[in-house]
Amino acid sequence: MALAIRQLHRHFVGEVSGLDLRHPLTKEQAREVEAAMDKYAVLVFHGQDITDEQQMAFALNFGERENPRGGNVTKKEDYRLDSGLNDVSNLGKDGKPLSRDSRVHLFNLGNCLWHSDSSFRPVPAKFSLLSARVVNPKGGNTEFADMRAAYDALDDETKAEIADMICEHSLMYSRGSLGLLDYSDEEKQMFRPVLQRLVRTHPVHGRKSLYLSSHAGAIKGMSVPEARLLLRDLTEHATRDEFVYVHKWTLHDLVMWDNRQTVHRVRRYDQSQPRDMRRATVAGTEPTVAQQAAE
């Protein structure tokens, strides 16, 4: 069966059929999927009952695995997964939902904010691939917003104003907005701000997009209040219904997205029930701007 794609949203998102991700992709299939990512920015694969190893093998068709260090507050001895996948569940090492006062749980609630994965790294992520192993019965939809369409819809004056702006991104900004303000010296070093362009240009098709994220908390050359107001205004614009696709998870869905062209967030769900979601992250290849110490 040949690969086929049905567009699910006016601007983006393709539903893929004709691939069984339990089996290795041919080089031609990998090229087709990557070309579809460039076009649709989000791809949905239904009915993919895959192992961690199969998920990682699929992801590695599109680049190297991202080193996950520095992306959470979970201590290594408490990791639930040892397969190289990112654990974005609500589960502890014992397989049970984390307690509501768990620091890891509270930190992970930041995923409910609009963000682009790993924008807090000097070289941010390329693709993310999320597999649904246990679906929560209530809530937990994931929303995606097309940052290309959002950029295109800006007026010319705003496009000119933001064209060369450089933002500071840090996990301490996103989690701080939820009231998590206490970090160890080691965490402060690990989460120190990095620099990212506010407007990105895609390396293949050349379309410009907004590079927004809850991790962005400052803009170089602007006061913090002015910068945060601008970022808030841009995020409100970019996440209007016309730019957003809502994915309602079913068991064994795999959703793949391009962090260079989209932002996403998970919606609130019943934290007393298990939700097992596992993400493979494909590393980016270059910074959006030359890095220097962000002060």
Side-chain angles (χ1 to χ4, degrees), residues 64-93:
E64 296 182 2
R65 172 202 169 208
E66 182 181 78
N67 185 336
R69 185 183 182 278
N72 56 62
V73 295
T74 309
K75 294 180 171 56
K76 191 170 184 179
E77 59 267 26
D78 295 327
Y79 285 178
R80 188 176 66 97
L81 306 179
D82 59 8
S83 57
L85 298 183
N86 300 85
D87 187 358
V88 288
S89 72
N90 67 339
L91 306 175
K93 195 172 184 179

PDB file of all heavy atoms in Angstrom, residues 64-93:
ATOM      1  N   GLU A  64      19.587  12.886  14.172  1.00  0.00           N
ATOM      2  CA  GLU A  64      20.109  12.255  15.372  1.00  0.00           C
ATOM      3  C   GLU A  64      19.158  12.451  16.550  1.00  0.00           C
ATOM      4  O   GLU A  64      18.404  13.427  16.599  1.00  0.00           O
ATOM      5  CB  GLU A  64      21.487  12.837  15.726  1.00  0.00           C
ATOM      6  CG  GLU A  64      22.561  12.552  14.691  1.00  0.00           C
ATOM      7  CD  GLU A  64      23.918  13.104  15.104  1.00  0.00           C
ATOM      8  OE1 GLU A  64      24.010  13.675  16.217  1.00  0.00           O
ATOM      9  OE2 GLU A  64      24.868  12.968  14.323  1.00  0.00           O
ATOM     10  N   ARG A  65      19.222  11.536  17.488  1.00  0.00           N
ATOM     11  CA  ARG A  65      18.449  11.665  18.718  1.00  0.00           C
ATOM     12  C   ARG A  65      18.978  12.844  19.527  1.00  0.00           C
ATOM     13  O   ARG A  65      20.184  13.036  19.673  1.00  0.00           O
ATOM     14  CB  ARG A  65      18.566  10.383  19.536  1.00  0.00           C
ATOM     15  CG  ARG A  65      17.952  10.473  20.924  1.00  0.00           C
ATOM     16  CD  ARG A  65      18.539   9.419  21.850  1.00  0.00           C
ATOM     17  NE  ARG A  65      18.143   9.677  23.235  1.00  0.00           N
ATOM     18  CZ  ARG A  65      18.860   9.315  24.281  1.00  0.00           C
ATOM     19  NH1 ARG A  65      20.007   8.686  24.129  1.00  0.00           N
ATOM     20  NH2 ARG A  65      18.428   9.587  25.498  1.00  0.00           N
ATOM     21  N   GLU A  66      18.069  13.650  20.066  1.00  0.00           N
ATOM     22  CA  GLU A  66      18.470  14.756  20.919  1.00  0.00           C
ATOM     23  C   GLU A  66      18.870  14.246  22.304  1.00  0.00           C
ATOM     24  O   GLU A  66      18.188  13.400  22.884  1.00  0.00           O
ATOM     25  CB  GLU A  66      17.327  15.765  21.059  1.00  0.00           C
ATOM     26  CG  GLU A  66      17.692  16.972  21.909  1.00  0.00           C
ATOM     27  CD  GLU A  66      16.519  17.943  22.060  1.00  0.00           C
ATOM     28  OE1 GLU A  66      15.619  17.662  22.873  1.00  0.00           O
ATOM     29  OE2 GLU A  66      16.517  18.953  21.349  1.00  0.00           O
ATOM     30  N   ASN A  67      19.958  14.778  22.836  1.00  0.00           N
ATOM     31  CA  ASN A  67      20.357  14.469  24.207  1.00  0.00           C
ATOM     32  C   ASN A  67      19.343  15.112  25.152  1.00  0.00           C
ATOM     33  O   ASN A  67      19.170  16.324  25.141  1.00  0.00           O
ATOM     34  CB  ASN A  67      21.757  15.021  24.477  1.00  0.00           C
ATOM     35  CG  ASN A  67      22.288  14.641  25.852  1.00  0.00           C
ATOM     36  OD1 ASN A  67      21.522  14.364  26.782  1.00  0.00           O
ATOM     37  ND2 ASN A  67      23.606  14.626  25.993  1.00  0.00           N
ATOM     38  N   PRO A  68      18.666  14.302  25.988  1.00  0.00           N
ATOM     39  CA  PRO A  68      17.594  14.865  26.814  1.00  0.00           C
ATOM     40  C   PRO A  68      18.066  15.617  28.045  1.00  0.00           C
ATOM     41  O   PRO A  68      17.260  16.213  28.752  1.00  0.00           O
ATOM     42  CB  PRO A  68      16.793  13.622  27.230  1.00  0.00           C
ATOM     43  CG  PRO A  68      17.811  12.532  27.274  1.00  0.00           C
ATOM     44  CD  PRO A  68      18.774  12.844  26.153  1.00  0.00           C
ATOM     45  N   ARG A  69      19.373  15.600  28.332  1.00  0.00           N
ATOM     46  CA  ARG A  69      19.851  16.212  29.564  1.00  0.00           C
ATOM     47  C   ARG A  69      19.448  17.688  29.627  1.00  0.00           C
ATOM     48  O   ARG A  69      19.535  18.415  28.657  1.00  0.00           O
ATOM     49  CB  ARG A  69      21.378  16.094  29.692  1.00  0.00           C
ATOM     50  CG  ARG A  69      21.895  16.608  31.032  1.00  0.00           C
ATOM     51  CD  ARG A  69      23.427  16.555  31.134  1.00  0.00           C
ATOM     52  NE  ARG A  69      23.858  17.009  32.455  1.00  0.00           N
ATOM     53  CZ  ARG A  69      23.996  18.285  32.796  1.00  0.00           C
ATOM     54  NH1 ARG A  69      23.736  19.233  31.914  1.00  0.00           N
ATOM     55  NH2 ARG A  69      24.390  18.621  34.016  1.00  0.00           N
ATOM     56  N   GLY A  70      18.998  18.103  30.803  1.00  0.00           N
ATOM     57  CA  GLY A  70      18.667  19.506  31.012  1.00  0.00           C
ATOM     58  C   GLY A  70      17.256  19.883  30.645  1.00  0.00           C
ATOM     59  O   GLY A  70      16.910  21.065  30.646  1.00  0.00           O
ATOM     60  N   GLY A  71      16.402  18.874  30.359  1.00  0.00           N
ATOM     61  CA  GLY A  71      15.046  19.192  29.958  1.00  0.00           C
ATOM     62  C   GLY A  71      13.993  18.948  31.019  1.00  0.00           C
ATOM     63  O   GLY A  71      12.806  19.141  30.757  1.00  0.00           O
ATOM     64  N   ASN A  72      14.421  18.518  32.209  1.00  0.00           N
ATOM     65  CA  ASN A  72      13.455  18.261  33.269  1.00  0.00           C
ATOM     66  C   ASN A  72      14.167  18.254  34.616  1.00  0.00           C
ATOM     67  O   ASN A  72      15.386  18.439  34.684  1.00  0.00           O
ATOM     68  CB  ASN A  72      12.726  16.926  33.035  1.00  0.00           C
ATOM     69  CG  ASN A  72      13.689  15.762  32.905  1.00  0.00           C
ATOM     70  OD1 ASN A  72      14.420  15.446  33.836  1.00  0.00           O
ATOM     71  ND2 ASN A  72      13.690  15.121  31.745  1.00  0.00           N
ATOM     72  N   VAL A  73      13.389  18.045  35.682  1.00  0.00           N
ATOM     73  CA  VAL A  73      13.968  18.021  37.030  1.00  0.00           C
ATOM     74  C   VAL A  73      13.971  16.609  37.601  1.00  0.00           C
ATOM     75  O   VAL A  73      14.285  16.421  38.781  1.00  0.00           O
ATOM     76  CB  VAL A  73      13.206  18.970  37.987  1.00  0.00           C
ATOM     77  CG1 VAL A  73      13.361  20.417  37.542  1.00  0.00           C
ATOM     78  CG2 VAL A  73      11.731  18.587  38.093  1.00  0.00           C
ATOM     79  N   THR A  74      13.636  15.611  36.775  1.00  0.00           N
ATOM     80  CA  THR A  74      13.649  14.229  37.237  1.00  0.00           C
ATOM     81  C   THR A  74      15.086  13.764  37.408  1.00  0.00           C
ATOM     82  O   THR A  74      15.906  13.916  36.498  1.00  0.00           O
ATOM     83  CB  THR A  74      12.934  13.307  36.239  1.00  0.00           C
ATOM     84  OG1 THR A  74      11.648  13.842  35.936  1.00  0.00           O
ATOM     85  CG2 THR A  74      12.796  11.903  36.808  1.00  0.00           C
ATOM     86  N   LYS A  75      15.405  13.195  38.550  1.00  0.00           N
ATOM     87  CA  LYS A  75      16.742  12.662  38.795  1.00  0.00           C
ATOM     88  C   LYS A  75      16.923  11.351  38.038  1.00  0.00           C
ATOM     89  O   LYS A  75      15.972  10.584  37.861  1.00  0.00           O
ATOM     90  CB  LYS A  75      16.971  12.457  40.293  1.00  0.00           C
ATOM     91  CG  LYS A  75      16.990  13.757  41.091  1.00  0.00           C
ATOM     92  CD  LYS A  75      17.225  13.493  42.566  1.00  0.00           C
ATOM     93  CE  LYS A  75      17.472  14.783  43.330  1.00  0.00           C
ATOM     94  NZ  LYS A  75      16.384  15.769  43.164  1.00  0.00           N
ATOM     95  N   LYS A  76      18.150  11.103  37.583  1.00  0.00           N
ATOM     96  CA  LYS A  76      18.414   9.947  36.732  1.00  0.00           C
ATOM     97  C   LYS A  76      17.966   8.648  37.379  1.00  0.00           C
ATOM     98  O   LYS A  76      17.421   7.765  36.706  1.00  0.00           O
ATOM     99  CB  LYS A  76      19.903   9.881  36.389  1.00  0.00           C
ATOM    100  CG  LYS A  76      20.232   8.878  35.299  1.00  0.00           C
ATOM    101  CD  LYS A  76      21.661   9.003  34.824  1.00  0.00           C
ATOM    102  CE  LYS A  76      21.921   8.054  33.653  1.00  0.00           C
ATOM    103  NZ  LYS A  76      23.318   8.168  33.158  1.00  0.00           N
ATOM    104  N   GLU A  77      18.142   8.537  38.695  1.00  0.00           N
ATOM    105  CA  GLU A  77      17.764   7.293  39.373  1.00  0.00           C
ATOM    106  C   GLU A  77      16.251   7.093  39.421  1.00  0.00           C
ATOM    107  O   GLU A  77      15.766   5.995  39.730  1.00  0.00           O
ATOM    108  CB  GLU A  77      18.325   7.259  40.791  1.00  0.00           C
ATOM    109  CG  GLU A  77      17.871   8.389  41.685  1.00  0.00           C
ATOM    110  CD  GLU A  77      18.818   9.583  41.682  1.00  0.00           C
ATOM    111  OE1 GLU A  77      19.545   9.766  40.671  1.00  0.00           O
ATOM    112  OE2 GLU A  77      18.829  10.317  42.678  1.00  0.00           O
ATOM    113  N   ASP A  78      15.484   8.148  39.086  1.00  0.00           N
ATOM    114  CA  ASP A  78      14.024   8.058  39.092  1.00  0.00           C
ATOM    115  C   ASP A  78      13.429   7.891  37.698  1.00  0.00           C
ATOM    116  O   ASP A  78      12.206   7.880  37.534  1.00  0.00           O
ATOM    117  CB  ASP A  78      13.418   9.302  39.756  1.00  0.00           C
ATOM    118  CG  ASP A  78      13.766   9.399  41.235  1.00  0.00           C
ATOM    119  OD1 ASP A  78      13.892   8.343  41.880  1.00  0.00           O
ATOM    120  OD2 ASP A  78      13.908  10.538  41.732  1.00  0.00           O
ATOM    121  N   TYR A  79      14.280   7.765  36.666  1.00  0.00           N
ATOM    122  CA  TYR A  79      13.763   7.612  35.309  1.00  0.00           C
ATOM    123  C   TYR A  79      12.939   6.330  35.197  1.00  0.00           C
ATOM    124  O   TYR A  79      13.321   5.267  35.699  1.00  0.00           O
ATOM    125  CB  TYR A  79      14.898   7.537  34.285  1.00  0.00           C
ATOM    126  CG  TYR A  79      15.587   8.848  33.981  1.00  0.00           C
ATOM    127  CD1 TYR A  79      16.660   8.897  33.096  1.00  0.00           C
ATOM    128  CD2 TYR A  79      15.176  10.038  34.570  1.00  0.00           C
ATOM    129  CE1 TYR A  79      17.295  10.089  32.793  1.00  0.00           C
ATOM    130  CE2 TYR A  79      15.815  11.241  34.275  1.00  0.00           C
ATOM    131  CZ  TYR A  79      16.873  11.260  33.399  1.00  0.00           C
ATOM    132  OH  TYR A  79      17.510  12.435  33.116  1.00  0.00           O
ATOM    133  N   ARG A  80      11.802   6.434  34.517  1.00  0.00           N
ATOM    134  CA  ARG A  80      10.934   5.273  34.270  1.00  0.00           C
ATOM    135  C   ARG A  80      11.352   4.539  33.004  1.00  0.00           C
ATOM    136  O   ARG A  80      11.216   3.318  32.912  1.00  0.00           O
ATOM    137  CB  ARG A  80       9.476   5.753  34.163  1.00  0.00           C
ATOM    138  CG  ARG A  80       8.438   4.642  34.097  1.00  0.00           C
ATOM    139  CD  ARG A  80       7.032   5.233  34.096  1.00  0.00           C
ATOM    140  NE  ARG A  80       6.763   6.007  32.893  1.00  0.00           N
ATOM    141  CZ  ARG A  80       6.122   5.550  31.827  1.00  0.00           C
ATOM    142  NH1 ARG A  80       5.681   4.305  31.808  1.00  0.00           N
ATOM    143  NH2 ARG A  80       5.900   6.324  30.788  1.00  0.00           N
ATOM    144  N   LEU A  81      11.854   5.264  32.008  1.00  0.00           N
ATOM    145  CA  LEU A  81      12.226   4.684  30.720  1.00  0.00           C
ATOM    146  C   LEU A  81      13.740   4.662  30.567  1.00  0.00           C
ATOM    147  O   LEU A  81      14.430   5.600  30.973  1.00  0.00           O
ATOM    148  CB  LEU A  81      11.615   5.493  29.571  1.00  0.00           C
ATOM    149  CG  LEU A  81      10.098   5.728  29.602  1.00  0.00           C
ATOM    150  CD1 LEU A  81       9.680   6.572  28.402  1.00  0.00           C
ATOM    151  CD2 LEU A  81       9.342   4.415  29.630  1.00  0.00           C
ATOM    152  N   ASP A  82      14.251   3.610  29.956  1.00  0.00           N
ATOM    153  CA  ASP A  82      15.688   3.531  29.690  1.00  0.00           C
ATOM    154  C   ASP A  82      15.958   3.300  28.207  1.00  0.00           C
ATOM    155  O   ASP A  82      17.025   2.838  27.823  1.00  0.00           O
ATOM    156  CB  ASP A  82      16.339   2.433  30.537  1.00  0.00           C
ATOM    157  CG  ASP A  82      15.732   1.048  30.288  1.00  0.00           C
ATOM    158  OD1 ASP A  82      14.920   0.923  29.357  1.00  0.00           O
ATOM    159  OD2 ASP A  82      16.092   0.105  31.030  1.00  0.00           O
ATOM    160  N   SER A  83      14.961   3.640  27.387  1.00  0.00           N
ATOM    161  CA  SER A  83      15.035   3.351  25.953  1.00  0.00           C
ATOM    162  C   SER A  83      15.540   4.526  25.124  1.00  0.00           C
ATOM    163  O   SER A  83      15.692   4.402  23.911  1.00  0.00           O
ATOM    164  CB  SER A  83      13.648   2.954  25.445  1.00  0.00           C
ATOM    165  OG  SER A  83      12.711   3.984  25.726  1.00  0.00           O
ATOM    166  N   GLY A  84      15.781   5.667  25.771  1.00  0.00           N
ATOM    167  CA  GLY A  84      16.178   6.860  25.028  1.00  0.00           C
ATOM    168  C   GLY A  84      15.020   7.761  24.674  1.00  0.00           C
ATOM    169  O   GLY A  84      15.226   8.869  24.167  1.00  0.00           O
ATOM    170  N   LEU A  85      13.775   7.316  24.926  1.00  0.00           N
ATOM    171  CA  LEU A  85      12.610   8.155  24.692  1.00  0.00           C
ATOM    172  C   LEU A  85      12.407   9.109  25.866  1.00  0.00           C
ATOM    173  O   LEU A  85      12.750   8.805  27.004  1.00  0.00           O
ATOM    174  CB  LEU A  85      11.357   7.305  24.510  1.00  0.00           C
ATOM    175  CG  LEU A  85      11.332   6.340  23.322  1.00  0.00           C
ATOM    176  CD1 LEU A  85       9.981   5.627  23.263  1.00  0.00           C
ATOM    177  CD2 LEU A  85      11.607   7.060  22.006  1.00  0.00           C
ATOM    178  N   ASN A  86      11.808  10.262  25.577  1.00  0.00           N
ATOM    179  CA  ASN A  86      11.427  11.211  26.620  1.00  0.00           C
ATOM    180  C   ASN A  86      10.114  10.756  27.241  1.00  0.00           C
ATOM    181  O   ASN A  86       9.156  10.453  26.532  1.00  0.00           O
ATOM    182  CB  ASN A  86      11.256  12.617  26.039  1.00  0.00           C
ATOM    183  CG  ASN A  86      12.512  13.144  25.390  1.00  0.00           C
ATOM    184  OD1 ASN A  86      12.772  12.863  24.223  1.00  0.00           O
ATOM    185  ND2 ASN A  86      13.290  13.905  26.117  1.00  0.00           N
ATOM    186  N   ASP A  87      10.076  10.723  28.562  1.00  0.00           N
ATOM    187  CA  ASP A  87       8.883  10.305  29.285  1.00  0.00           C
ATOM    188  C   ASP A  87       8.010  11.531  29.535  1.00  0.00           C
ATOM    189  O   ASP A  87       8.327  12.367  30.374  1.00  0.00           O
ATOM    190  CB  ASP A  87       9.283   9.656  30.617  1.00  0.00           C
ATOM    191  CG  ASP A  87       8.112   9.036  31.354  1.00  0.00           C
ATOM    192  OD1 ASP A  87       6.973   9.129  30.852  1.00  0.00           O
ATOM    193  OD2 ASP A  87       8.346   8.463  32.437  1.00  0.00           O
ATOM    194  N   VAL A  88       6.909  11.653  28.808  1.00  0.00           N
ATOM    195  CA  VAL A  88       5.996  12.780  28.999  1.00  0.00           C
ATOM    196  C   VAL A  88       4.667  12.283  29.545  1.00  0.00           C
ATOM    197  O   VAL A  88       3.597  12.830  29.248  1.00  0.00           O
ATOM    198  CB  VAL A  88       5.818  13.614  27.705  1.00  0.00           C
ATOM    199  CG1 VAL A  88       7.070  14.404  27.417  1.00  0.00           C
ATOM    200  CG2 VAL A  88       5.481  12.738  26.512  1.00  0.00           C
ATOM    201  N   SER A  89       4.753  11.222  30.346  1.00  0.00           N
ATOM    202  CA  SER A  89       3.590  10.678  31.024  1.00  0.00           C
ATOM    203  C   SER A  89       3.364  11.419  32.339  1.00  0.00           C
ATOM    204  O   SER A  89       4.087  12.354  32.684  1.00  0.00           O
ATOM    205  CB  SER A  89       3.809   9.196  31.328  1.00  0.00           C
ATOM    206  OG  SER A  89       4.773   9.057  32.371  1.00  0.00           O
ATOM    207  N   ASN A  90       2.375  10.957  33.085  1.00  0.00           N
ATOM    208  CA  ASN A  90       2.176  11.450  34.453  1.00  0.00           C
ATOM    209  C   ASN A  90       2.539  10.356  35.459  1.00  0.00           C
ATOM    210  O   ASN A  90       2.024  10.327  36.575  1.00  0.00           O
ATOM    211  CB  ASN A  90       0.736  11.921  34.672  1.00  0.00           C
ATOM    212  CG  ASN A  90      -0.273  10.776  34.624  1.00  0.00           C
ATOM    213  OD1 ASN A  90       0.011   9.710  34.065  1.00  0.00           O
ATOM    214  ND2 ASN A  90      -1.458  10.986  35.183  1.00  0.00           N
ATOM    215  N   LEU A  91       3.448   9.461  35.047  1.00  0.00           N
ATOM    216  CA  LEU A  91       3.756   8.272  35.826  1.00  0.00           C
ATOM    217  C   LEU A  91       5.141   8.340  36.460  1.00  0.00           C
ATOM    218  O   LEU A  91       6.088   8.879  35.876  1.00  0.00           O
ATOM    219  CB  LEU A  91       3.680   7.031  34.933  1.00  0.00           C
ATOM    220  CG  LEU A  91       2.369   6.840  34.168  1.00  0.00           C
ATOM    221  CD1 LEU A  91       2.472   5.647  33.231  1.00  0.00           C
ATOM    222  CD2 LEU A  91       1.201   6.683  35.133  1.00  0.00           C
ATOM    223  N   GLY A  92       5.248   7.758  37.652  1.00  0.00           N
ATOM    224  CA  GLY A  92       6.524   7.612  38.316  1.00  0.00           C
ATOM    225  C   GLY A  92       7.194   6.312  37.934  1.00  0.00           C
ATOM    226  O   GLY A  92       6.681   5.528  37.120  1.00  0.00           O
ATOM    227  N   LYS A  93       8.343   6.048  38.533  1.00  0.00           N
ATOM    228  CA  LYS A  93       9.109   4.840  38.225  1.00  0.00           C
ATOM    229  C   LYS A  93       8.319   3.579  38.544  1.00  0.00           C
ATOM    230  O   LYS A  93       8.518   2.523  37.925  1.00  0.00           O
ATOM    231  CB  LYS A  93      10.420   4.855  38.999  1.00  0.00           C
ATOM    232  CG  LYS A  93      11.449   3.851  38.513  1.00  0.00           C
ATOM    233  CD  LYS A  93      12.785   4.059  39.204  1.00  0.00           C
ATOM    234  CE  LYS A  93      13.849   3.116  38.643  1.00  0.00           C
ATOM    235  NZ  LYS A  93      15.168   3.348  39.305  1.00  0.00           N
TER     236      LYS A  93
END
